[in-house]
Amino acid sequence: MSSSPSIKRQLRLQIPVVVAGSALLLSGCSVANSENAAGATAGAASDTLRVVLQQEPPTLEACEANLTSTGVVVRSNVTQPLIERNPTTGELEPLLATEWEATSDTEWTLKLRDDVKFQDGTDFNAEAAAYTIDRAVNSDLGCNVEGYVFGDTDLEVEAVDATTLKVTTPEPDPILPLRLSFLEVVPTSTSDTEKVREPIGTGPYKIEQWDAGQKITLSTWDGYWGDAPAFPKAEYQWRGEGTVRAAMVTSGEADIAMGLGPDDGAGDLGVNYPNNETIGLRLSGDTAPLDDIRVRQAINYAIDKEGIVASLYQNKDKVAAQLIPEGVVGHNASLEAWPFDLEKAKALVAEAKADGVPVDTKITLVARNAQFPKVTELSQVLQEQLAQAGLNVELKMTETSQHLQYQIRPFVEDQGPIALLIQHGNQAGDAAFTVEQYMLSDGAQSSFGTEEFDKRLLEAGKSSGDDRQQAYEDIFTYQNENVVQFATIAHQTGILGKSAAINYTPNSSSGDELRLTEMTPAS
Amino acid sequence: MLVYLRKRILSSALPLVAVIVGVFALARLTGNPANLYLPLNATDQMRADFTARHGLDQPLLTQMADYFGGVLRLDFGESLRTGESAAAMALRAFPATLQLAATTMVLAVILAVIVGCWAALKPNGIADRISSFVSMAAASIPDFWLAIVGIWIFAITLGWLPTSGVGGASAWVLPIATLLLRPFGVLVQIVRGAMVSALSEPYIKLARSKGAGDVRVVTHHALRNAAAPALTVAGDLTVGLVNGAVVVETIFGWPGIGKLMIDSILQRDFAVLQAAVLLTAIAIFVLNILIDLGYALLDARVRPATVKA
């Protein structure tokens, strides 16, 4: 290095200038040019509905619409199912299919609309409906909807003519129309070897633009077969912090904020709705001391559910007696929650101890960080209350991936007795979706069960109508009296932030399917 | 200088490789992402298919060899979450972080130099005490708390700024102010210390005796000598910003590399995590070289010593 003093001085002066200049140049490009935010959000365009979600959807692929963040954008907005479930009444209603009937034990015939087009201009018909079912349920794509709704079952589909579709199941399936309501219909031009990021559908909105990392914009589609929605555009953004989502609604930057907690600060703009989620403990009933029913009963008596709901959830949640809330087929309205009775809990533990049950064995209470509002506080309360009953409980907070190792088979081994804090949502509206995974002795999320109980569960799944309702009601009673794998705590309430400029009443499906057509400007 | 540069590059490249190998191995030790990506009641067959489809059923060394083979062909794999190219996702996020970090650091340096010089003029005077208190507080306030309080005051109560997001100039204010405080606080103390010692040097007394005023003494004489330590610390702080903007990016919805990294960790999105870490490591590597060069340019004493070492 042999520069003269004057050159050195120049260099010294230039370094900060160059850095400052580059920073200003940089700040003028890409991110800054992506428009909107500050300027646009302050003076919200009334033709755009602005929604803020908890996270960016990983994909908008129609067969992944069971993922919350995907479904909330796509379902009923961009794509539509053949049949839809009314989230308030629980009844199935026609959509792309006008009627359906069981034409034999294993065969269903559906009549389809003939006036519907996809957003690429092609006709919706039985061939497209058959293709959708085949692609999502019978292919190797590994669609979410397959695992959640259809499992191992493959379906035989046949387009009889343009408006008639025949679906055959290997076993009698009385709730096939309900299962079909989870399938978002796509045209035959959609790849069946790869998932697509942005689907083409028959819905009122099409995807206008997806600025990865920033926002998704939908705009109305002129060729929509139904009534045009009130808002020509919709814009989705995402923020991880509940307080920020709430603040976006209170400051006028967003019209709807999803997934708020009671303390996020939405104030009067927070709207409560039943979200079909239930929280409780799942007890590993095959490990001592949880293999003794008295200990499991004691846990149920030891939890002060009323107190928890009042102090942590501002009385918005409802004390739960079973894993599904009212409105889901099979809910047993006459079943009463276990009363809080610490003395009884202590007595049951003492009785078990007297019989040689190792009640001092450490039970691990496993919970998941940020799974739902106040989960940490709730976990601590539960630990304390179980300790009061005379049990030795250690709390373990985990993140999602770790929690899943406790939640689904194959479970982690050699961890001793586990009380897993679960949040179970039954958005399908039928108990089958709950009991088969949580109560069968080999169910994906079940850690206990009996042969006798398994038989009842499988029988119930084949029944229909009133028989089905009764069969599942009996199952929940039997669970509480004879199995006690769960200590259910509360049916949760969702909170959605809604600006005063919008008319919208959320319902039990809003967390998974936010129908933009139900939103209108408040005048 | 070239010899020095070559040595510096070689000695920094090794940790770079170590970081990539470490991230690769640690990510895979956290478990199979099949559980996260498939529905809770997916069948065993669906899980096995998923694992095989993404090559996660192969031994770790095979996976790593495949990965490095891909990197040599500039193929960094695909995101499990989105199916997009991992490199494209990382490259898209990186400029957003860089813009934030660069703007923050330029402002931090300017403010710190002004306040630090002002404080150093009269050690233990009122200005010094105030700046000392402010800079200590600024360096120790947690980002998370500051961000939420900033949103509460300026976005909700006063309505002056947007809560979050990207866009016009106003969207930059809160994230930058949140990120700015710590480097500003640290730098004020460095500048002040260096200036106090520079101002007590004989040549300053000489300059003063020749009639130079405070401003001239500071800008033309003392600052030059105080700049080197401040530049080194500013460089380190920039590295910290690039690496640690996670909290600020997450809260303000800033689509940068920090947010991408944390999302990829939580989602077990291995390819994206690897691409993001690699890009960040390269950026830090380049930044470190630039800092060393800048330091060498400013202070001739550094060069021979470092070369000998």
Side-chain angles (χ1 to χ4, degrees), chain A residues 85 87-88 274 276 318 322 324-329 331-333 491 508:
Chain A
R85 176 178 174 273
T88 311
N276 280 4
K318 280 186 190 153
Q322 57 207 301
I324 51 171
E326 206 180 332
V328 176
V329 171
H331 171 83
N332 187 338
H491 300 304
S508 66

Side-chain angles (χ1 to χ4, degrees), chain A residues 283-293 295-296 299 363 417-419:
Chain A
L283 309 168
S284 59
D286 47 4
T287 323
L290 294 177
D291 59 351
D292 191 292
I293 194 166
V295 177
R296 302 198 296 275
I299 289 175
I363 298 170
I418 304 286

Side-chain angles (χ1 to χ4, degrees), chain A residues 24-41:
Chain A
L24 288 173
L25 272 177
L26 279 170
S27 67
C29 55
S30 71
V31 170
N33 281 349
S34 54
E35 64 161 359
N36 209 357
T41 46

Side-chain angles (χ1 to χ4, degrees), chain A residues 276-282 320-326 328 330-332 335 420 422-427 430-431 433-440 445-446 453 472 475-477 479-480 485-492:
Chain A
N276 280 4
E277 300 276 359
T278 303
I279 50 174
L281 291 175
R282 188 196 72 190
Q322 57 207 301
L323 272 179
I324 51 171
E326 206 180 332
V328 176
H331 171 83
N332 187 338
L335 203 57
L420 181 77
I422 55 166
Q423 180 194 33
H424 169 60
N426 185 325
Q427 271 70 33
D430 188 285
F433 293 93
T434 297
V435 302
E436 288 176 14
Q437 50 175 319
Y438 270 105
M439 294 187 191
L440 278 173
Q445 300 196 61
S446 169
F453 197 32
Y472 281 121
I475 279 169
F476 286 112
T477 309
Q479 192 310 124
N480 283 16
Q485 185 191 172
F486 302 95
T488 46
I489 299 169
H491 300 304
Q492 292 185 305

Side-chain angles (χ1 to χ4, degrees), chain A residues 443-460:
Chain A
Q445 300 196 61
S446 169
S447 63
F448 189 49
T450 64
E451 232 172 85
E452 189 196 344
F453 197 32
D454 285 358
K455 272 187 210 153
R456 295 180 67 144
L457 294 168
L458 293 172
E459 277 307 308

Side-chain angles (χ1 to χ4, degrees), chain B residues 267-282:
Chain B
Q267 298 287 327
R268 302 288 186 272
D269 202 347
F270 297 153
V272 179
L273 175 64
Q274 283 153 204
V277 169
L278 180 64
L279 193 58
T280 311
I282 290 174

Side-chain angles (χ1 to χ4, degrees), chain A residues 31 93 111 270-271 378 412 439 442:
Chain A
V31 170
E93 293 172 355
K111 283 283 173 197
V271 184
L378 173 65
V412 281
M439 294 187 191
D442 63 349

